[in-house]
Amino acid sequence: MRPLQNNGLGVLCCLWGIGIGLWFLSFKSYGLERLKILTSIAPLYCFCVNIGGEYVTVKNLIFFGAEPHEVSLSMRQMQEIQDSDLIVINGLGMESWLEKGLSSKEKAKKIVVSTVGIEPIPSIGSLNKLPANSPYSFNPHVWLDPNLAIQQVLNIKKALCQRDPLHTEAYEKNAASYIFKLKEIDRMYREKLQEIAQKKAYFFNDSFMYLTKRYDILVAGILEECGQREGLSPRKLATAIETMRKEKIPFFYTPFSKKALVMEIIKESQTCSGEIDSMESANPDPSLYETIAKKNLSVLVEVFGKKNLCWSHNFEVCADGKEQN
């Protein structure tokens, strides 16, 4: 009798195990498990969180303040890449460090290039005869133009729908809602900036070329080019400062621009200056894009409005060059 009981118990355990296995497979197959998404930069994290909603888990690979163009992946990050379902990248050479570490099969399965369909602007460095295969051949900062950010959102939504068709309706609805917000940001930029007749400025780096092109901001000069290995030459710096001072051209820099150099430029040029954020090294947050885009617009309007204020990350310097506490 006991052997029969044992056999029956074994059969029940076996059936129970099979049932659990089938349940787990259906759990994954029918989208009941959240998609694990990795993003390369903070704006893409923001897009994915807003599109995916409750059906995705999103993590950004790059830490706050890190340089996204050149990354050395840790063992933990490599494991996160292996465990992910999708890896959403910007493209245009920004994540060459990531693509090199994946096989062709893994790229085809996981990589989502958010800039597909966007016509890139050649980087300033590429005009100075960069190697043909350089990751800096194109300017990657497309997201700073909200119209191009919309294309990135559409590309991400398409990838999510293909990978998780069960929740297509939710992804479509979330994307439409977020695109509405991006269109509203574009409207604000157009309305505010078209009121300013003279929009000409120097920029610390070339992050804002898509934004300046969209809103008719004339770029007087760029101090540091993307991918530039050598430092800023004294001659180029002196020429830029002299031009800013003579023509009263505003100067914009980012939170991660070299602080000492920024202070020197502001003091020597005696021009109105402002800090605007290119977002890629910001702290990932669902509302990041809207918050920073609106703050950037406020600074642009303030500086182009020729207010005698100078904005910065940790310090303020007035147009007369005197540092304020």
Side-chain angles (χ1 to χ4, degrees):
M1 186 72 179
R2 186 169 296 175
L4 289 175
Q5 288 178 334
N6 289 340
N7 288 339
L9 185 60
V11 170
L12 286 174
C13 288
C14 184
L15 291 173
W16 179 82
I18 292 172
I20 289 294
L22 291 173
W23 174 82
F24 180 75
L25 288 173
S26 66
F27 192 78
K28 288 187 72 71
S29 300
Y30 291 99
L32 298 176
E33 181 179 332
R34 291 184 177 190
L35 283 179
K36 294 178 182 177
I37 300 175
L38 285 180
T39 56
S40 59
I41 54 175
L44 298 180
Y45 171 91
C46 182
F47 299 162
C48 289
V49 166
N50 281 280
I51 300 166
E54 64 183 299
Y55 302 112
V56 300
T57 299
V58 186
K59 188 167 185 177
N60 200 53
L61 272 171
I62 307 301
F63 299 109
F64 171 73
E67 168 55 61
H69 298 271
E70 297 178 9
V71 175
S72 180
L73 293 170
S74 67
M75 292 299 294
R76 181 182 61 78
Q77 289 171 315
M78 289 298 295
Q79 188 59 53
E80 288 173 347
I81 289 172
Q82 293 301 315
D83 294 341
S84 66
D85 295 308
L86 293 173
I87 305 171
V88 179
I89 67 172
N90 185 73
L92 300 179
M94 175 167 271
E95 299 92 352
S96 57
W97 48 267
L98 173 61
E99 296 181 71
K100 290 176 182 177
L102 294 172
S103 67
S104 298
K105 185 177 180 180
E106 287 174 318
K107 288 179 186 178
K109 181 180 178 182
K110 293 187 176 187
I111 293 289
V112 178
V113 182
S114 64
T115 52
V116 170
I118 294 175
E119 183 177 354
I121 295 174
S123 68
I124 294 174
S126 69
L127 302 178
N128 296 330
K129 299 181 180 179
L130 277 174
N133 61 346
S134 171
Y136 302 104
S137 296
F138 296 105
N139 190 315
H141 305 89
V142 298
W143 62 86
L144 290 165
D145 175 352
N147 294 276
L148 299 182
I150 289 174
Q151 182 61 50
Q152 291 184 284
V153 167
L154 291 172
N155 287 334
I156 294 169
K157 179 206 69 175
K158 180 180 178 181
L160 293 185
C161 291
Q162 289 176 342
R163 190 60 185 264
D164 180 20
L166 183 66
H167 299 119
T168 292
E169 185 177 351
Y171 298 144
E172 294 275 3
K173 181 179 178 181
N174 291 345
S177 177
Y178 196 70
I179 287 171
F180 178 83
K181 294 179 180 180
L182 293 174
K183 288 182 177 179
E184 180 63 15
I185 290 171
D186 173 59
R187 183 193 64 78
M188 292 170 60
Y189 268 76
R190 290 185 185 279
E191 287 185 1
K192 294 290 184 182
L193 292 175
Q194 73 180 2
E195 297 172 0
I196 303 169
Q198 297 295 324
K199 299 187 290 292
K200 182 179 181 181
Y202 263 87
F203 292 83
F204 191 91
N205 60 39
D206 58 2
S207 298
F208 298 91
M209 297 304 98
Y210 291 93
L211 184 143
T212 57
K213 181 181 179 181
R214 176 68 63 182
Y215 301 110
D216 299 321
I217 298 172
L218 181 61
V219 179
I222 302 293
L223 297 185
E224 286 194 357
E225 302 163 8
C226 186
Q228 180 177 322
R229 297 296 181 181
E230 68 279 1
L232 178 61
S233 72
R235 183 177 179 179
K236 183 176 180 180
L237 177 60
T239 300
I241 290 174
E242 182 66 15
T243 304
M244 288 182 219
R245 181 167 57 240
K246 281 186 176 180
E247 300 183 26
K248 295 181 172 57
I249 300 175
F251 169 58
F252 294 100
Y253 51 94
T254 74
F256 301 103
S257 297
K258 299 167 186 173
K259 181 177 176 180
L261 182 55
V262 167
M263 290 185 69
E264 178 187 351
I265 292 168
I266 293 173
K267 288 180 179 180
E268 294 296 325
S269 67
Q270 298 182 11
T271 188
C272 196
S273 306
E275 179 187 280
I276 50 180
D277 196 334
S278 56
M279 303 187 194
E280 72 261 44
S281 298
N283 195 31
D285 183 86
S287 61
L288 171 145
Y289 191 93
E290 296 166 80
T291 300
I292 294 181
K294 290 175 182 178
K295 182 179 178 181
N296 284 349
L297 175 60
S298 177
V299 174
L300 288 167
V301 171
E302 191 79 21
V303 172
F304 282 132
K306 297 183 180 178
K307 301 287 185 182
N308 286 326
L309 291 173
C310 291
W311 303 68
S312 65
H313 189 55
N314 293 314
F315 60 93
E316 290 185 351
V317 181
C318 288
D320 61 3
K322 294 180 181 179
E323 193 171 343
Q324 301 295 306
N325 295 322

Short mmCIF file of all heavy atoms in Angstrom, two decimals, residues 14-63:
data_model
loop_
_atom_site.label_atom_id
_atom_site.label_comp_id
_atom_site.label_asym_id
_atom_site.label_seq_id
_atom_site.Cartn_x
_atom_site.Cartn_y
_atom_site.Cartn_z
N CYS A 14 4.98 15.58 -9.85
CA CYS A 14 5.42 15.75 -11.24
C CYS A 14 4.44 16.64 -12.00
O CYS A 14 4.82 17.56 -12.72
CB CYS A 14 5.55 14.40 -11.91
SG CYS A 14 6.19 14.50 -13.61
N LEU A 15 3.13 16.35 -11.83
CA LEU A 15 2.10 17.14 -12.49
C LEU A 15 2.12 18.57 -12.00
O LEU A 15 1.94 19.53 -12.77
CB LEU A 15 0.72 16.51 -12.25
CG LEU A 15 0.47 15.17 -12.95
CD1 LEU A 15 -0.86 14.58 -12.49
CD2 LEU A 15 0.46 15.36 -14.47
N TRP A 16 2.34 18.73 -10.70
CA TRP A 16 2.40 20.08 -10.11
C TRP A 16 3.57 20.86 -10.72
O TRP A 16 3.45 22.02 -11.08
CB TRP A 16 2.57 19.94 -8.60
CG TRP A 16 2.67 21.28 -7.90
CD1 TRP A 16 1.66 22.10 -7.53
CD2 TRP A 16 3.88 21.93 -7.47
NE1 TRP A 16 2.12 23.22 -6.92
CE2 TRP A 16 3.50 23.15 -6.86
CE3 TRP A 16 5.23 21.60 -7.55
CZ2 TRP A 16 4.43 24.04 -6.33
CZ3 TRP A 16 6.15 22.48 -7.02
CH2 TRP A 16 5.76 23.69 -6.42
N GLY A 17 4.72 20.19 -10.87
CA GLY A 17 5.90 20.84 -11.46
C GLY A 17 5.66 21.24 -12.90
O GLY A 17 6.04 22.33 -13.33
N ILE A 18 5.00 20.33 -13.65
CA ILE A 18 4.69 20.65 -15.06
C ILE A 18 3.74 21.84 -15.14
O ILE A 18 3.91 22.74 -15.97
CB ILE A 18 4.07 19.43 -15.76
CG1 ILE A 18 5.13 18.31 -15.89
CG2 ILE A 18 3.51 19.81 -17.14
CD1 ILE A 18 4.57 17.00 -16.39
N GLY A 19 2.76 21.85 -14.23
CA GLY A 19 1.79 22.95 -14.20
C GLY A 19 2.46 24.28 -13.93
O GLY A 19 2.17 25.29 -14.57
N ILE A 20 3.39 24.27 -12.96
CA ILE A 20 4.11 25.51 -12.62
C ILE A 20 4.94 25.97 -13.82
O ILE A 20 5.00 27.16 -14.15
CB ILE A 20 5.03 25.29 -11.39
CG1 ILE A 20 4.19 25.14 -10.13
CG2 ILE A 20 6.02 26.45 -11.24
CD1 ILE A 20 3.42 26.39 -9.73
N GLY A 21 5.58 25.01 -14.49
CA GLY A 21 6.40 25.35 -15.65
C GLY A 21 5.58 25.96 -16.77
O GLY A 21 5.97 26.97 -17.37
N LEU A 22 4.42 25.35 -17.05
CA LEU A 22 3.54 25.88 -18.08
C LEU A 22 3.01 27.26 -17.72
O LEU A 22 2.90 28.15 -18.56
CB LEU A 22 2.36 24.90 -18.32
CG LEU A 22 2.74 23.57 -18.99
CD1 LEU A 22 1.52 22.64 -19.00
CD2 LEU A 22 3.25 23.81 -20.42
N TRP A 23 2.70 27.43 -16.43
CA TRP A 23 2.20 28.73 -15.95
C TRP A 23 3.27 29.80 -16.14
O TRP A 23 2.99 30.91 -16.59
CB TRP A 23 1.83 28.62 -14.47
CG TRP A 23 1.45 29.95 -13.87
CD1 TRP A 23 0.26 30.59 -13.93
CD2 TRP A 23 2.32 30.80 -13.10
NE1 TRP A 23 0.31 31.78 -13.26
CE2 TRP A 23 1.56 31.94 -12.74
CE3 TRP A 23 3.64 30.71 -12.68
CZ2 TRP A 23 2.10 32.97 -11.98
CZ3 TRP A 23 4.17 31.73 -11.93
CH2 TRP A 23 3.41 32.86 -11.58
N PHE A 24 4.53 29.45 -15.84
CA PHE A 24 5.62 30.41 -15.98
C PHE A 24 5.83 30.78 -17.45
O PHE A 24 6.03 31.95 -17.79
CB PHE A 24 6.91 29.82 -15.42
CG PHE A 24 8.09 30.75 -15.53
CD1 PHE A 24 8.22 31.84 -14.69
CD2 PHE A 24 9.07 30.52 -16.50
CE1 PHE A 24 9.30 32.70 -14.80
CE2 PHE A 24 10.15 31.37 -16.62
CZ PHE A 24 10.27 32.46 -15.77
N LEU A 25 5.74 29.76 -18.32
CA LEU A 25 5.90 30.05 -19.75
C LEU A 25 4.79 30.95 -20.26
O LEU A 25 5.03 31.88 -21.03
CB LEU A 25 5.90 28.73 -20.54
CG LEU A 25 7.16 27.87 -20.41
CD1 LEU A 25 6.95 26.53 -21.12
CD2 LEU A 25 8.38 28.59 -20.97
N SER A 26 3.57 30.69 -19.82
CA SER A 26 2.45 31.53 -20.24
C SER A 26 2.59 32.92 -19.66
O SER A 26 2.23 33.93 -20.28
CB SER A 26 1.12 30.91 -19.82
OG SER A 26 0.99 30.90 -18.41
N PHE A 27 3.17 33.00 -18.46
CA PHE A 27 3.39 34.28 -17.79
C PHE A 27 4.27 35.18 -18.65
O PHE A 27 4.00 36.36 -18.83
CB PHE A 27 4.08 34.00 -16.44
CG PHE A 27 4.11 35.20 -15.52
CD1 PHE A 27 2.98 35.57 -14.81
CD2 PHE A 27 5.28 35.93 -15.35
CE1 PHE A 27 3.02 36.64 -13.95
CE2 PHE A 27 5.32 37.01 -14.50
CZ PHE A 27 4.18 37.36 -13.79
N LYS A 28 5.32 34.59 -19.22
CA LYS A 28 6.22 35.36 -20.09
C LYS A 28 5.61 35.57 -21.47
O LYS A 28 5.69 36.64 -22.04
CB LYS A 28 7.57 34.65 -20.22
CG LYS A 28 8.42 34.71 -18.97
CD LYS A 28 9.79 34.14 -19.19
CE LYS A 28 10.64 35.05 -20.05
NZ LYS A 28 11.05 36.28 -19.38
N SER A 29 4.98 34.50 -22.00
CA SER A 29 4.47 34.56 -23.37
C SER A 29 3.36 35.59 -23.52
O SER A 29 3.26 36.24 -24.55
CB SER A 29 3.96 33.18 -23.79
OG SER A 29 4.99 32.23 -23.74
N TYR A 30 2.50 35.73 -22.52
CA TYR A 30 1.36 36.61 -22.64
C TYR A 30 1.58 37.97 -21.99
O TYR A 30 0.65 38.70 -21.69
CB TYR A 30 0.11 35.94 -22.04
CG TYR A 30 -0.34 34.77 -22.87
CD1 TYR A 30 -0.01 33.47 -22.51
CD2 TYR A 30 -1.07 34.96 -24.04
CE1 TYR A 30 -0.41 32.39 -23.28
CE2 TYR A 30 -1.48 33.90 -24.82
CZ TYR A 30 -1.15 32.61 -24.43
OH TYR A 30 -1.54 31.55 -25.20
N GLY A 31 2.84 38.33 -21.75
CA GLY A 31 3.14 39.68 -21.32
C GLY A 31 2.80 39.98 -19.89
O GLY A 31 2.64 41.15 -19.54
N LEU A 32 2.65 38.97 -19.05
CA LEU A 32 2.31 39.21 -17.66
C LEU A 32 3.55 39.60 -16.84
O LEU A 32 3.44 40.12 -15.75
CB LEU A 32 1.64 37.98 -17.05
CG LEU A 32 0.32 37.57 -17.71
CD1 LEU A 32 -0.21 36.29 -17.09
CD2 LEU A 32 -0.71 38.69 -17.58
N GLU A 33 4.73 39.36 -17.41
CA GLU A 33 5.96 39.79 -16.76
C GLU A 33 6.42 41.08 -17.42
O GLU A 33 6.36 41.23 -18.63
CB GLU A 33 7.04 38.71 -16.91
CG GLU A 33 8.34 39.08 -16.23
CD GLU A 33 9.38 37.98 -16.38
OE1 GLU A 33 8.99 36.81 -16.52
OE2 GLU A 33 10.58 38.32 -16.39
N ARG A 34 6.85 42.03 -16.61
CA ARG A 34 7.30 43.31 -17.15
C ARG A 34 8.52 43.14 -18.05
O ARG A 34 9.42 42.37 -17.74
CB ARG A 34 7.64 44.27 -16.02
CG ARG A 34 6.44 44.74 -15.22
CD ARG A 34 6.90 45.77 -14.21
NE ARG A 34 5.79 46.32 -13.45
CZ ARG A 34 5.88 47.38 -12.64
NH1 ARG A 34 7.06 47.96 -12.48
NH2 ARG A 34 4.84 47.82 -11.98
N LEU A 35 8.54 43.90 -19.14
CA LEU A 35 9.72 43.92 -20.00
C LEU A 35 10.86 44.62 -19.27
O LEU A 35 10.67 45.68 -18.67
CB LEU A 35 9.42 44.68 -21.29
CG LEU A 35 8.61 43.98 -22.38
CD1 LEU A 35 8.42 44.94 -23.55
CD2 LEU A 35 9.30 42.72 -22.84
N LYS A 36 12.03 44.03 -19.32
CA LYS A 36 13.21 44.64 -18.71
C LYS A 36 13.93 45.45 -19.78
O LYS A 36 14.47 44.89 -20.74
CB LYS A 36 14.14 43.56 -18.15
CG LYS A 36 13.54 42.78 -16.99
CD LYS A 36 14.50 41.69 -16.52
CE LYS A 36 13.89 40.86 -15.40
NZ LYS A 36 14.80 39.75 -14.98
N ILE A 37 13.93 46.76 -19.59
CA ILE A 37 14.51 47.66 -20.59
C ILE A 37 15.70 48.40 -20.00
O ILE A 37 15.63 48.94 -18.90
CB ILE A 37 13.46 48.68 -21.08
CG1 ILE A 37 12.27 47.96 -21.72
CG2 ILE A 37 14.08 49.66 -22.06
CD1 ILE A 37 11.15 48.88 -22.13
N LEU A 38 16.78 48.42 -20.75
CA LEU A 38 17.94 49.24 -20.40
C LEU A 38 18.01 50.41 -21.37
O LEU A 38 17.72 50.25 -22.57
CB LEU A 38 19.23 48.43 -20.50
CG LEU A 38 19.55 47.43 -19.40
CD1 LEU A 38 20.87 46.74 -19.70
CD2 LEU A 38 19.59 48.08 -18.03
N THR A 39 18.37 51.58 -20.88
CA THR A 39 18.57 52.74 -21.74
C THR A 39 19.99 53.25 -21.56
O THR A 39 20.62 53.04 -20.53
CB THR A 39 17.57 53.86 -21.42
OG1 THR A 39 17.68 54.21 -20.02
CG2 THR A 39 16.14 53.42 -21.71
N SER A 40 20.49 53.94 -22.58
CA SER A 40 21.87 54.40 -22.54
C SER A 40 22.02 55.80 -21.97
O SER A 40 23.07 56.15 -21.42
CB SER A 40 22.47 54.36 -23.95
OG SER A 40 21.71 55.17 -24.83
N ILE A 41 20.99 56.64 -22.10
CA ILE A 41 21.06 58.01 -21.60
C ILE A 41 19.73 58.40 -20.94
O ILE A 41 18.69 57.80 -21.22
CB ILE A 41 21.40 59.02 -22.72
CG1 ILE A 41 20.42 58.88 -23.89
CG2 ILE A 41 22.84 58.85 -23.17
CD1 ILE A 41 20.63 59.93 -24.98
N ALA A 42 19.78 59.42 -20.12
CA ALA A 42 18.62 59.81 -19.31
C ALA A 42 17.37 60.17 -20.12
O ALA A 42 16.26 59.80 -19.73
CB ALA A 42 19.00 60.95 -18.38
N PRO A 43 17.47 60.92 -21.25
CA PRO A 43 16.24 61.22 -22.00
C PRO A 43 15.51 59.97 -22.49
O PRO A 43 14.28 59.92 -22.48
CB PRO A 43 16.76 62.05 -23.19
CG PRO A 43 18.03 62.63 -22.72
CD PRO A 43 18.64 61.60 -21.82
N LEU A 44 16.28 58.94 -22.89
CA LEU A 44 15.65 57.70 -23.36
C LEU A 44 14.99 56.97 -22.20
O LEU A 44 13.95 56.32 -22.39
CB LEU A 44 16.69 56.81 -24.04
CG LEU A 44 17.34 57.39 -25.30
CD1 LEU A 44 18.34 56.41 -25.88
CD2 LEU A 44 16.28 57.76 -26.34
N TYR A 45 15.58 57.04 -21.02
CA TYR A 45 14.94 56.48 -19.83
C TYR A 45 13.58 57.13 -19.64
O TYR A 45 12.57 56.45 -19.41
CB TYR A 45 15.82 56.73 -18.61
CG TYR A 45 15.15 56.39 -17.29
CD1 TYR A 45 15.28 55.12 -16.72
CD2 TYR A 45 14.38 57.34 -16.61
CE1 TYR A 45 14.65 54.80 -15.53
CE2 TYR A 45 13.74 57.03 -15.42
CZ TYR A 45 13.89 55.76 -14.87
OH TYR A 45 13.25 55.45 -13.69
N CYS A 46 13.55 58.44 -19.74
CA CYS A 46 12.31 59.20 -19.59
C CYS A 46 11.27 58.76 -20.61
O CYS A 46 10.11 58.52 -20.28
CB CYS A 46 12.62 60.69 -19.72
SG CYS A 46 11.22 61.78 -19.50
N PHE A 47 11.68 58.64 -21.87
CA PHE A 47 10.74 58.22 -22.92
C PHE A 47 10.19 56.82 -22.64
O PHE A 47 8.97 56.59 -22.74
CB PHE A 47 11.43 58.23 -24.28
CG PHE A 47 11.95 59.57 -24.73
CD1 PHE A 47 12.90 59.67 -25.73
CD2 PHE A 47 11.48 60.74 -24.15
CE1 PHE A 47 13.38 60.90 -26.14
CE2 PHE A 47 11.95 61.99 -24.55
CZ PHE A 47 12.91 62.07 -25.56
N CYS A 48 11.07 55.89 -22.30
CA CYS A 48 10.64 54.50 -22.10
C CYS A 48 9.70 54.34 -20.91
O CYS A 48 8.72 53.59 -20.98
CB CYS A 48 11.86 53.59 -21.91
SG CYS A 48 12.83 53.36 -23.41
N VAL A 49 9.98 55.04 -19.84
CA VAL A 49 9.12 54.97 -18.64
C VAL A 49 7.73 55.49 -18.97
O VAL A 49 6.71 54.91 -18.55
CB VAL A 49 9.74 55.77 -17.49
CG1 VAL A 49 8.73 56.00 -16.37
CG2 VAL A 49 10.97 55.06 -16.94
N ASN A 50 7.66 56.59 -19.71
CA ASN A 50 6.37 57.18 -20.03
C ASN A 50 5.58 56.37 -21.06
O ASN A 50 4.35 56.32 -21.01
CB ASN A 50 6.57 58.61 -20.54
CG ASN A 50 6.80 59.60 -19.41
OD1 ASN A 50 5.86 60.05 -18.76
ND2 ASN A 50 8.07 59.92 -19.15
N ILE A 51 6.27 55.71 -21.97
CA ILE A 51 5.58 54.89 -22.98
C ILE A 51 5.18 53.54 -22.38
O ILE A 51 4.06 53.07 -22.56
CB ILE A 51 6.47 54.65 -24.21
CG1 ILE A 51 6.85 55.97 -24.87
CG2 ILE A 51 5.76 53.74 -25.22
CD1 ILE A 51 7.98 55.85 -25.87
N GLY A 52 6.10 52.92 -21.65
CA GLY A 52 5.87 51.57 -21.14
C GLY A 52 4.95 51.50 -19.95
O GLY A 52 4.23 50.52 -19.76
N GLY A 53 4.97 52.55 -19.12
CA GLY A 53 4.10 52.58 -17.95
C GLY A 53 4.31 51.39 -17.03
O GLY A 53 5.44 51.01 -16.72
N GLU A 54 3.22 50.79 -16.62
CA GLU A 54 3.27 49.70 -15.64
C GLU A 54 3.75 48.37 -16.23
O GLU A 54 3.99 47.41 -15.49
CB GLU A 54 1.88 49.49 -15.05
CG GLU A 54 0.84 49.04 -16.06
CD GLU A 54 -0.55 48.92 -15.43
OE1 GLU A 54 -0.70 48.11 -14.49
OE2 GLU A 54 -1.46 49.64 -15.89
N TYR A 55 3.94 48.33 -17.54
CA TYR A 55 4.30 47.06 -18.17
C TYR A 55 5.80 46.90 -18.43
O TYR A 55 6.22 45.93 -19.05
CB TYR A 55 3.53 46.89 -19.48
CG TYR A 55 2.04 46.96 -19.27
CD1 TYR A 55 1.29 48.02 -19.76
CD2 TYR A 55 1.38 45.97 -18.52
CE1 TYR A 55 -0.08 48.08 -19.55
CE2 TYR A 55 0.01 46.03 -18.29
CZ TYR A 55 -0.71 47.09 -18.81
OH TYR A 55 -2.06 47.16 -18.58
N VAL A 56 6.58 47.87 -17.97
CA VAL A 56 8.03 47.79 -18.18
C VAL A 56 8.78 48.14 -16.90
O VAL A 56 8.27 48.85 -16.04
CB VAL A 56 8.50 48.74 -19.31
CG1 VAL A 56 7.83 48.40 -20.63
CG2 VAL A 56 8.26 50.20 -18.95
N THR A 57 9.99 47.62 -16.81
CA THR A 57 10.94 48.04 -15.78
C THR A 57 12.12 48.63 -16.52
O THR A 57 12.74 47.96 -17.35
CB THR A 57 11.41 46.84 -14.93
OG1 THR A 57 10.27 46.27 -14.28
CG2 THR A 57 12.42 47.29 -13.88
N VAL A 58 12.42 49.88 -16.24
CA VAL A 58 13.46 50.59 -17.00
C VAL A 58 14.62 50.97 -16.08
O VAL A 58 14.41 51.46 -14.97
CB VAL A 58 12.90 51.87 -17.66
CG1 VAL A 58 13.96 52.50 -18.57
CG2 VAL A 58 11.64 51.57 -18.45
N LYS A 59 15.83 50.74 -16.58
CA LYS A 59 17.03 51.13 -15.85
C LYS A 59 17.99 51.79 -16.82
O LYS A 59 18.16 51.34 -17.94
CB LYS A 59 17.69 49.92 -15.19
CG LYS A 59 18.83 50.30 -14.26
CD LYS A 59 19.24 49.13 -13.39
CE LYS A 59 20.31 49.56 -12.38
NZ LYS A 59 20.69 48.46 -11.47
N ASN A 60 18.62 52.88 -16.37
CA ASN A 60 19.59 53.57 -17.21
C ASN A 60 20.99 53.07 -16.92
O ASN A 60 21.38 52.92 -15.76
CB ASN A 60 19.52 55.08 -16.96
CG ASN A 60 20.11 55.89 -18.08
OD1 ASN A 60 19.73 55.71 -19.25
ND2 ASN A 60 21.05 56.77 -17.77
N LEU A 61 21.74 52.80 -17.98
CA LEU A 61 23.09 52.25 -17.81
C LEU A 61 24.08 53.28 -17.29
O LEU A 61 25.02 52.94 -16.59
CB LEU A 61 23.60 51.71 -19.15
CG LEU A 61 23.26 50.26 -19.49
CD1 LEU A 61 23.65 49.97 -20.94
CD2 LEU A 61 23.98 49.30 -18.56
N ILE A 62 23.88 54.55 -17.66
CA ILE A 62 24.86 55.59 -17.35
C ILE A 62 24.50 56.27 -16.03
O ILE A 62 23.36 56.65 -15.80
CB ILE A 62 24.91 56.64 -18.48
CG1 ILE A 62 25.14 55.97 -19.82
CG2 ILE A 62 26.00 57.67 -18.20
CD1 ILE A 62 26.40 55.15 -19.90
N PHE A 63 25.50 56.43 -15.19
CA PHE A 63 25.30 57.09 -13.91
C PHE A 63 25.21 58.61 -14.09
O PHE A 63 25.71 59.16 -15.08
CB PHE A 63 26.44 56.75 -12.95
CG PHE A 63 26.56 55.29 -12.65
CD1 PHE A 63 27.62 54.55 -13.15
CD2 PHE A 63 25.60 54.65 -11.88
CE1 PHE A 63 27.74 53.20 -12.87
CE2 PHE A 63 25.70 53.30 -11.61
CZ PHE A 63 26.77 52.57 -12.10
#
